[in-house]
Each structure stands twice: as C-alpha cells, then as structure tokens.
Amino acid sequence: SLQAKLTFSSKEIVALSCAWCKLSYHNKEACFNPERIGEECTLGTHRSIVVPPSWIVKLPRKGNFKSSLRKTPQKKKKAGKKVSIPREPRTFVIKPIPTANITPVLVFINPKSGGNQGAKLLQKFQWLLNPRQVFDLTQGGPRMGLELFRKVPQLRILACGGDGTVGWVLSVLDQINFVPPPAVGVLPLGTGNDLARALGWGGGYTDEPIGKILGNIGNSDTVLLDRWSLKVEPNTSVPNTGDGKDNLPLNVVNNYFSLGVDAHIALEFHEAREAHPEKFNSRLRNKMFYGQAGGKDLLKRKWKGLAEFVTLECDGKDLTPKLKEHKVHAIVFLNIPSYGGGTHPWNKSGGQFEPATDDGMIEVVGLTTYQLPLLQAGGHGTCITQCRTARIVTSKTIPMQVDGEACKLNPSNIELTLLNKAVMLAKKKPGRANVPQEKLESLYISLMKIMMTDYEQHHYDKELLRQSAVNLGSLEVPVTDLEQVRVLINKYCSEQPDSPKLSPDWCFIDSCTAERFFRVDRAQENLHFITDIANDCVFVLDQESPTLPQTPEDEHRRLGAQGTPVAGSLESGDGAGAPPFSPQSGKLLDRSLSGPPASSDIPSRKSSQGSQETDGTHPRAPMAHDSVGNGQSLDQMVNFKR
C-alpha cells in the first residue's frame, strides 16, 4: 500500500521516516524514489546496541500446532466453579544471529522512580531502540525479559531507577543463574543513587538526551562490584519483645548495611512515604524530609547507647570496645564510597588499604548524631576497620537498613560474608582496565538420533519422539552456530566404531522453541546457536530412507519432465489437482513445522537485519486442511525451518 501511494503526485504522503534508522525523506523524486524501499536498513546511530528485528521470531498461539491434527470436544463448564485464568503464553522468542559487532542493551525502567520520570523515558527508549528490548518493571518485574534474552551473547543491561531497582535486577540474575552474567549499567532516577554515583553516572537524571546516554552505555567500562550476603538467626540468649521483625528486608548488600540512628531515619521516611506517597514525588522533598528527621534525632539522641546493645566481631577480632570508646550512634558497612545521597563517610587515610568496589573487603564506619549532618559538608565518620567477614550480635530490637530498605530487627546474630562479584558498567574513564567479559563455556550434550519413520509417525508428540530416539553418546561442543557443531558431530560419529552411524543427509531438530519438534534447514545452520535448538540433548533426524522430499528442488526432480508424481509420493485426496511448485504458485515457507500443516507456523528469520517488521514476521494465509487437497501445492505439505 505504501508503494502504491508513492506516485510522487499523491498528496497523502508528504515525507517518509524509517522506524529503525530514523532517516527521513521528502516524497519527491529528487529526495526519494520507490526503488530505495528495497535497500537494507542500517538500524541507525545505535545499531551496535539495538536488537535487530531479524532476531525476533513470532510464535503462533497456543494450540495452533495441534488444532489441525486432533480436535477434542470441549467439556461444558459446571456452574458455580471458578475458572482459573491461564497464564498468557509468550508471543515471541529471541533467536540471536552470531554477530561480532552487536552488544545489545536490555532496558528495564521503573516508571515510578524519580518523580515519575521513568514513564517519559519508557516511550523515548522504545522509540530509539527495538520496543522488544525495553521492559516496564511494573509489569511483572525483570525475570521475563532476562529469560527471553538469556541466550543472547554480549548482552548488557541498563537499569533505570534507584539503587533498589539495580538490586532487584541483580537478585533476579542470581535466581535464574544467568551464565555468563551480563554487565549492568545504571540510569539514576531514585533519591540517593549512590551506586550510580560510585560508577560515574551521576546523582540523578537531568533531562540529558537519551541518545547521548545510549552512546555512553555502548562505550562504557566494565568493572566488578562485591556483593555481600547477610545471614540472620534469632538471638535466643535474650528475651524477644516481639516489636520487630525476625529477618531483614534484603539478604544481599550491594551498597551498604547499617544499624542505629541512620536506619531509624530511613525507616521513618519509608513509613511516611507509604502513608502519603503524593508528598514524596521529587528528590528535593525527599532530602528535606531526611534533613528534618535528622534534626529531630540530633535533639533526642535516642541511640546514643547503641554500643551497649551490639557486639561486633570483624575477621575474628572483637571490636566492641572501639565502638564504646567512640560512643557511636550508628554502624555502617560500606561496599561503595558513596553513602546517603553522595556523602563519603570513610576517610581514605583511616584504612590500611585503598577502598575499592572489587577488593573483597568492606569498610566499617561509626557515626554519631553530630557527624551525620557534617557528612553533607564533606565531613567523615569514625573509621573502625576494613574486613572480609563480620559478625554482629544484638541484644535489643534495633532499626537496620540494607540499601535503603529499613526495618526494626529483633535481637539477632548476623553473619556478613562475600557472596559474589557482579559485572557493572561504569562511565568511561581513561586508564581504567576493563574486566574481560566471561565467555560461554563449552556444553556437554547427549546426541540423540530420530529415524524418519518415527518422526513421520510421532511428529505431533514430543514425548513419543524422545522415547523413540537412540542415544549415540555424549560429546563436548562450544557454544557456536550449528554449522560448526555439524562438523564436530560428524567427527565424533566417525571416531566411534561401535556407535550407530548417521546418514550423510541428517539434519538438526529444534526441540525447545515450540510445542513440537521441527527440522532446521541445513542452508541456514550458520544463523542459529546450538543453545537455540537444544538444552541438554541435541536431536538429529536421520533421513536415510526418507519418504518426504528434503527440498523443493528434490520435488522438482521427483516429479520429472512429465509432471506426474511417482508411486508412493504424497498427493491430494483424489490423486489429482495438485500443481507442481513454481515461484508463481506460492512462496515456500522459510521456517515452519514439519509434518502435516498446522493452522499457524513459525515465520522466517532472514539474515538481513533491517528488512523486517518489529516481530520479524511476514503475514501469510492460514492452511485449512490436514491433508493436501485440490489446488494445494506440495510445498505447503513439506516445511522446513530456515
């Protein structure tokens, strides 16, 4: 329809703009002509971090694969019973094409952070990037996005929000065991933004152009961040008054962990924001509340005897006397240099080692109510020690906070130990050594062979095909494309004299993308990773005695010059009326299910990265019959994945 309007006499279209590269042209012969529509799009300025549309493969709706094979009558729903709402299935999957110069960035935005700035940024990121790589954290959190992009190499993440948003993303990466872990960058939208300050991204977003931010993310350094584990057990040696909680709100420390007066202020802020969220819609108001609460504590001095209720042991050394000596009102464990919105409690001259985010050590600082306001003027706290492990024993219900999340904790025994090191993105700094990104390790896979007869008989049932598969052994393969894996499999089979052999024309089977197994076209094996089609087992189809043609060219040769099928071939129900395949009669599906046609198939994924729609799909007419009928070409019956 667009090409029809490009007559250069129509006034309906004044100008054209590409949704990917953002180039615009006037609807004039001197500026643009219809032939340019066929040119390959470069994906624009941010091509190195944009997820190409050719990586997005649209999936058919659930049930479409089996609807043409067997239809079961739906049972009538009984009145009075609640109907459970089924979980909405994925509509697309990510199939990355191995490309050395693409480091895609996955964007997670918290729209509620920073006075609702995130809602505006969500639309801007979706405009500049592929909308499929931008996720709203209020719609189910980061897990779905991380699992979708799990197999994408050289992946980077941009977390837009406060320090809590970054911690949320890092915790989900731990939960799903993302290997190798992607590097995480920060766009500060929160109140404190101490982690963003420590990584060089500043204390808050100030309407900087999104294009500039994306450029900095694409050209950033990779650094390591220590992450600490908190293990809490109740202190049974003292009575429990029951006015606190038995566990901390978070059990992992990314920025800092503290107890005492500063945690009390953070808890008051949290409770006030929960009661009146409309009063806390800007950073300035939030900081004013902190200042007001700090002034009250300065007068009350409620936690001046904190050291009387706390025992501190660092690396096996008892430091409780030092806490009592300095009469501290708060104890802070610092993992990063920034604290409380940009202050620096640790005095660099107070420790034996230069503090760093990846040194495996945490800095312990003591603060009094008088020192807290002085931090805003560049002052420091009392340096207690630097340690690798710490043990805190409390004998009273004391307010505590982990990365800004506060609560009152009942008397407890708390163990602080190093958990792991996260890869973070820091703003480019001359002379800084980058942390090499961990590469995907080799995979140990089981090689399973499926015969063509079994595949034809059970292609609609995954479990039956698994049971009919023959185990050819196990081998180690690198995470690479199928073209390279084919060479390794052929070599392995030739070196196993007692193992069943494969025919020369065997092909890979995708066992994890859809509800059914389907074949991978050999011509496009270089476009798919081994992790795209298999988990722990790689299934291959042995076509030693094929009853179905392998390609449309084979079908041409099989039909012969007479144009009549030979005995045993697939024909229509009445044996006539199926014309031979020609480019004019129908377009062969690039990628779909093998076996009898279903009402919907998986569309093609071409190597051209800018020539498809957002989902990388092309519309096609559905096939309505289970068998080849009158006027139905043979290529609709035999499909191949490409």
Side-chain angles (χ1 to χ4, degrees):
S1 60
L2 176 63
Q3 291 180 357
K5 291 180 180 180
L6 284 177
T7 59
F8 301 100
S9 60
S10 172
K11 295 183 179 180
E12 293 183 41
I13 298 179
V14 178
L16 300 172
S17 177
C18 178
W20 296 101
C21 64
K22 313 306 177 192
L23 292 178
S24 299
Y25 302 91
H26 290 98
N27 188 9
K28 295 181 179 179
E29 188 70 38
C31 187
F32 189 82
N33 55 70
E35 286 74 21
R36 299 199 65 174
I37 293 179
E39 294 180 5
E40 184 175 342
C41 177
T42 62
L43 298 183
T45 308
H46 307 295
R47 65 180 69 89
S48 62
I49 61 175
V50 172
V51 173
S54 54
W55 289 17
I56 312 293
V57 178
K58 189 175 181 180
L59 290 177
R61 292 181 180 177
K62 187 177 182 182
N64 279 359
F65 289 120
K66 297 184 180 181
S67 61
S68 62
L69 295 172
R70 52 184 182 187
K71 296 182 180 179
T72 55
Q74 294 183 351
K75 296 181 179 179
K76 292 184 179 180
K77 298 174 182 177
K78 294 182 179 180
K81 285 191 174 182
K82 292 184 179 180
V83 180
S84 60
I85 301 174
R87 186 180 177 185
E88 187 176 349
R90 291 180 182 176
T91 57
F92 67 96
V93 292
I94 308 298
K95 294 286 186 177
I97 300 172
T99 310
N101 58 349
I102 294 182
T103 55
V105 174
L106 201 57
V107 181
F108 293 105
I109 301 180
N110 187 353
K112 298 180 181 179
S113 293
N116 296 323
Q117 282 182 309
K120 300 176 183 178
L121 291 176
L122 185 66
Q123 296 180 348
K124 293 181 180 179
F125 277 113
Q126 288 177 335
W127 167 247
L128 289 174
L129 302 174
N130 189 330
R132 296 296 193 190
Q133 69 186 103
V134 183
F135 291 86
D136 182 349
L137 286 174
T138 60
Q139 305 298 317
R143 179 182 289 270
M144 183 186 72
L146 292 173
E147 288 181 341
L148 274 172
F149 285 79
R150 187 169 192 151
K151 297 177 182 177
V152 175
Q154 305 179 80
L155 182 66
R156 292 185 168 190
I157 293 174
L158 177 60
C160 306
D163 292 339
T165 302
V166 183
W168 189 7
V169 173
L170 291 175
S171 64
V172 174
L173 287 173
D174 286 341
Q175 291 169 14
I176 65 175
N177 193 26
F178 202 119
V179 179
V184 180
V186 187
L187 179 59
L189 300 181
T191 303
N193 302 313
D194 289 297
L195 183 57
R197 295 173 193 270
L199 296 173
W201 299 115
Y205 173 66
T206 54
D207 294 327
E208 190 177 0
I210 299 299
K212 184 178 179 181
I213 293 173
L214 290 174
N216 291 336
I217 289 293
N219 192 35
S220 55
D221 294 333
T222 52
V223 298
L224 291 177
L225 174 71
D226 292 335
R227 303 180 69 229
W228 301 82
S229 172
L230 289 170
K231 184 180 178 182
V232 180
E233 294 179 351
N235 185 0
T236 56
S237 61
V238 294
N240 187 351
T241 57
D243 56 345
K245 295 185 177 181
D246 293 329
N247 214 332
L248 292 167
L250 300 172
N251 58 3
V252 177
V253 180
N254 297 311
N255 300 352
Y256 40 76
F257 163 60
S258 67
L259 57 155
V261 63
D262 71 318
H264 178 71
I265 297 172
L267 182 61
E268 285 187 338
F269 172 80
H270 176 72
E271 291 173 346
R273 185 169 60 175
E274 288 291 315
H276 303 283
E278 70 279 358
K279 296 182 179 180
F280 299 86
N281 55 4
S282 71
R283 291 194 194 95
L284 182 60
R285 285 187 177 184
N286 296 347
K287 290 188 175 182
M288 287 176 63
F289 181 90
Y290 270 101
Q292 182 183 4
K296 289 181 180 179
D297 280 319
L298 179 62
L299 297 176
K300 293 182 179 179
R301 300 183 64 197
K302 183 178 180 181
W303 296 101
K304 61 180 180 180
L306 178 67
E308 301 296 330
F309 310 107
V310 176
T311 302
L312 175 64
E313 185 179 296
C314 296
D315 291 338
K317 184 179 179 181
D318 187 9
L319 296 176
T320 309
K322 196 169 184 179
L323 299 179
K324 294 180 179 180
E325 176 188 348
H326 294 281
K327 299 179 180 179
V328 298
H329 301 168
I331 305 170
V332 183
F333 295 81
L334 287 172
N335 187 44
I336 58 176
S338 181
Y339 166 80
T343 65
H344 298 84
W346 180 262
N347 192 337
K348 292 184 179 180
S349 61
Q352 184 179 357
F353 306 100
E354 181 73 19
T357 60
D358 61 347
D359 58 359
M361 302 185 74
I362 197 164
E363 284 71 44
V364 185
V365 181
L367 295 173
T368 64
T369 311
Y370 306 108
Q371 289 174 327
L372 274 174
L374 294 177
L375 292 178
Q376 302 294 333
H380 305 289
T382 304
C383 299
I384 304 297
T385 187
Q386 291 172 298
C387 62
R388 301 185 184 278
T389 60
R391 187 171 185 270
I392 307 106
V393 179
T394 61
S395 57
K396 181 182 177 181
T397 300
I398 297 175
M400 301 186 186
Q401 69 157 340
V402 183
D403 293 348
E405 299 292 328
C407 75
K408 286 185 177 180
L409 190 71
N410 290 325
S412 305
N413 299 325
I414 305 171
E415 297 281 348
L416 179 71
T417 55
L418 184 64
L419 176 65
N420 57 29
K421 293 178 185 288
V423 184
M424 308 297 292
L425 293 176
K427 198 166 186 179
K428 192 73 175 178
K429 188 176 181 181
R432 176 158 48 191
N434 276 340
V435 176
Q437 288 290 93
E438 184 181 349
K439 296 183 179 180
L440 287 172
E441 299 177 355
S442 298
L443 298 177
Y444 290 91
I445 58 172
S446 297
L447 184 61
M448 310 294 289
K449 180 179 75 170
I450 297 177
M451 298 303 296
M452 177 60 79
T453 52
D454 294 325
Y455 184 74
E456 290 175 350
Q457 186 177 0
H458 306 302
H459 58 268
Y460 57 84
D461 195 315
K462 275 188 174 183
E463 288 305 316
L464 288 178
L465 281 177
R466 289 180 189 274
Q467 294 172 14
S468 64
V470 178
N471 192 340
L472 300 184
S474 300
L475 68 156
E476 180 182 1
V477 296
V479 179
T480 182
D481 59 84
L482 299 183
E483 196 172 53
Q484 303 297 324
V485 177
R486 171 178 285 273
V487 176
L488 296 175
I489 290 178
N490 286 335
K491 182 180 178 182
Y492 171 81
C493 291
S494 63
E495 294 174 351
Q496 304 294 324
D498 300 331
S499 176
K501 302 300 179 184
L502 289 172
S503 61
D505 58 346
W506 64 270
C507 65
F508 287 100
I509 293 180
D510 190 332
S511 62
C512 59
T513 298
E515 291 180 348
R516 285 165 50 188
F517 286 6
F518 57 98
R519 288 176 280 180
V520 182
D521 185 12
R522 186 168 179 176
Q524 295 203 356
E525 288 179 357
N526 63 314
L527 301 181
H528 304 282
F529 281 119
I530 183 66
T531 50
D532 289 342
I533 68 160
N535 294 320
D536 53 349
C537 295
V538 173
F539 291 89
V540 296
L541 180 62
D542 197 333
Q543 306 180 91
E544 189 170 6
S545 302
T547 58
L548 294 177
Q550 173 68 6
T551 63
E553 289 75 17
D554 294 342
E555 176 62 14
H556 277 266
R557 290 192 294 269
R558 192 173 66 83
L559 289 173
Q562 292 80 10
T564 58
V566 297
S569 63
L570 291 169
E571 301 181 31
S572 60
D574 57 1
F581 174 81
S582 66
Q584 292 77 21
S585 65
K587 183 178 179 182
L588 179 67
L589 290 177
D590 286 329
R591 178 180 182 195
S592 61
L593 289 172
S594 299
S599 57
S600 177
D601 292 303
I602 296 180
S604 65
R605 182 167 68 104
K606 297 185 179 180
S607 57
S608 174
Q609 295 180 349
S611 61
Q612 299 189 17
E613 299 174 358
T614 303
D615 281 332
T617 63
H618 297 283
R620 57 179 292 270
M623 292 177 278
H625 302 288
D626 293 348
S627 59
V628 181
N630 291 335
Q632 187 176 7
S633 58
L634 187 62
D635 62 286
Q636 290 178 316
M637 185 65 184
V638 184
N639 303 319
F640 298 89
K641 173 184 172 186
R642 293 190 179 183

